[in-house]
Structures are given as C-alpha cells and as structure tokens.
Amino acid sequence: MNWKNDRIKRYMEIGMAVLIVLTLGLAGATGVLSTRAEENGGVSEERTESSEGSAGEEPADEDLSGAGDSESDGGASESGISEVSADGQYPIMGESSVTVQEMVDYFNSSGEEYPAEELSAGGADSIETFCQMYYDEAEAEGVRAEVAFAQTMKETGFLQYGGDASIEQFNFAGLGTTGGGVPGNSYPDVRTGIRAQIQHLKAYATTDSLEQECVDERYEYVKKGSAPYVEWLGQQENPDGTGWATADNYGYDIVGMIEDMQED
C-alpha cells in the first residue's frame, strides 16, 4: 500500500504545480499585475511632472525680474530686483555718507555764486546754512542728505535756475513743473521747499509714513516705494516705468554727482 500512497502524493504535488501555473497565467491575462505596475509608475510620473513644473516656474520669474534689472542697471544683475542693492545701486534711505562741509565744498567747486540775496529772503543767507538745512531735513525723514542735495544741484544748475521755476518759489527739485512753462509749486521759505522735496523722495523710496507734517502737495500721487534706489528715479530706468523724471539716466546722473561730492 505504500507505493499507492507515494503515487497519490506525487499526483497531488503535480496538480498543485499545475494549479499555480494556471493561476499566474490567468492573472497575467487579465492584466492585474501590469495594472498595479502602471499605477505605481503613474505616481512617480505625477511627482516628476509636479517637481519639474515648480522648477520651471521659478527660473521664469527670475528671467522676468532679470529683464527689469537690465533696464535699470545695464544688465548688471539677473538675480531679481530684491538683490539689486547688493549690486551697486544707491539707496535713497539711510545714513548720509557726506558731511555738511563736503556738501558746501561740492557747491563751491562748481564755480557758481551762491544766490544769497534771493535765498536770504527764505532764511538761508549762506551756502553753509543752506546745506545744514538739507542735512537736518533729510536726517529727520531718514533720507540720505547727499541724494536730495545732488538732485537740487542737477535740477537748478547749482542754484542758477533758468527753467520754468524761479528761485523765488523755493522749489529746489521741480515739484509740479510739468513743462510748457508750468512753474510748479511754491513754498513760503527755503526750509519748507527743502522739506517738500525730501518728503517726495521718501514717498518714492519707501512705504514708511512721514515723520513730520506733510508739506508736499504731490505726496499722495506718488506710488509709494516704487523707486528705493536713486538710479530708479528716472522713469526710463525704473523697472516699473515710474519715477521722478522722464530724462535719460536721470538717477544715474545724480549718483555721479554724489560720487563727485564724496571725492571733494
């Protein structure tokens, strides 16, 4: 009887093997295993596409910012507007880099005569007094004094005027002068005219509120914080197309004057 038991056992083992083969073949035919493999593969592909999509968007944003930087600083930076200050741009806000005496020396080096008669009527009988007013008013608002002073020298031709505004208006940066003979704003004295100019600069440079009572009639019209750097005061060089003036390289000219002032 033992040989019969061995034979039955062998048949059972063969039957089990056949059954396993048939089961695997059936599973392959219905696509169960391949479907699971595809599902697993699909998850990986989705993650890859999501990752590539994010990576693709970031360089695109950088490219757009870089294009703006090219307009403002001749392509010196392609890393975005937020990093421009580290690449040579001159901030409007901050501690002054010049002294009152350096401002005085810079004016005197121009060879122009200080209009004492006209500006004495507004409370600034000397270039020393005039420069001290600039320094004090700028410091009160956190604006760099050299920025405002250099802008005045550019706008007025070292206080010689000759444009639409006249010296009796105590308007030192062409506030409200829109061309075509429009004289622009007038102020009661030299200090008020200086304060208005500095408040206007601050409006362009930052969204921070003023420290002193607003005397700048055009303050509310400025897009706050649109020109944090002197170079961006020119509309043609500003990435947003906003700015103080439309002339080519307006802000860059002022920076050049600041550099001259620092060397005196």
Side-chain angles (χ1 to χ4, degrees), residues 9-258:
K9 185 177 179 180
R10 189 173 304 158
Y11 285 149
M12 290 178 64
E13 290 175 350
I14 293 172
M16 288 295 294
V18 171
L19 181 61
I20 291 172
V21 171
L22 291 174
T23 301
L24 291 173
L26 181 61
T30 56
V32 173
L33 296 180
S34 60
T35 299
R36 289 178 180 173
E38 288 174 1
E39 289 175 352
N40 291 335
V43 172
S44 294
E45 289 171 6
E46 288 173 0
R47 288 177 181 171
T48 301
E49 290 170 4
S50 175
S51 176
E52 290 174 354
S54 298
E57 289 171 5
E58 290 175 3
D61 290 340
E62 289 175 2
D63 289 343
L64 290 175
S65 297
D69 294 343
S70 295
E71 294 175 5
S72 65
D73 62 10
S77 173
E78 296 181 355
S79 57
I81 291 175
S82 63
E83 297 181 13
V84 172
S85 61
D87 196 26
Q89 302 293 300
Y90 203 96
I92 292 173
M93 304 298 292
E95 186 176 350
S96 179
S97 66
V98 301
T99 64
V100 171
Q101 188 58 52
E102 286 175 321
M103 294 161 68
V104 170
D105 293 343
Y106 179 64
F107 176 83
N108 289 335
S109 69
S110 70
E112 299 291 352
E113 183 178 353
Y114 180 75
E117 182 178 350
E118 293 86 348
L119 295 186
S120 289
D125 59 353
S126 67
I127 184 60
E128 289 80 9
T129 301
F130 186 78
C131 291
Q132 187 66 57
M133 285 184 180
Y134 263 93
Y135 195 91
D136 293 343
E137 291 297 325
E139 186 175 44
E141 294 294 349
V143 172
R144 295 176 188 266
E146 66 271 19
V147 174
F149 187 74
Q151 182 184 38
T152 289
M153 297 302 105
K154 174 177 173 60
E155 288 277 357
T156 66
F158 287 86
L159 300 178
Q160 305 309 300
Y161 284 81
D164 293 333
S166 64
I167 192 169
E168 291 81 13
Q169 291 175 240
F170 305 129
N171 183 344
F172 301 108
L175 288 172
T177 56
T178 56
V182 178
N185 299 344
S186 296
Y187 301 96
D189 52 47
V190 171
R191 185 176 292 276
T192 304
I194 293 172
R195 183 174 299 178
Q197 175 193 358
I198 287 171
Q199 289 179 344
H200 209 65
L201 279 171
K202 185 173 182 176
Y204 274 107
T206 179
T207 58
D208 294 347
S209 59
L210 297 175
E211 297 295 332
Q212 303 189 86
E213 180 181 356
C214 184
V215 298
D216 171 25
E217 300 94 327
R218 305 186 65 80
Y219 179 83
E220 62 181 301
Y221 302 119
V222 178
K223 182 180 178 182
K224 305 301 185 292
S226 60
Y229 311 111
V230 179
E231 289 87 345
W232 292 6
L233 289 173
Q235 293 179 15
Q236 297 189 49
E237 291 77 41
N238 188 298
D240 291 333
T242 59
W244 191 296
T246 59
D248 291 345
N249 296 314
Y250 178 80
Y252 284 89
D253 289 346
I254 294 174
V255 171
M257 297 175 78
I258 292 172

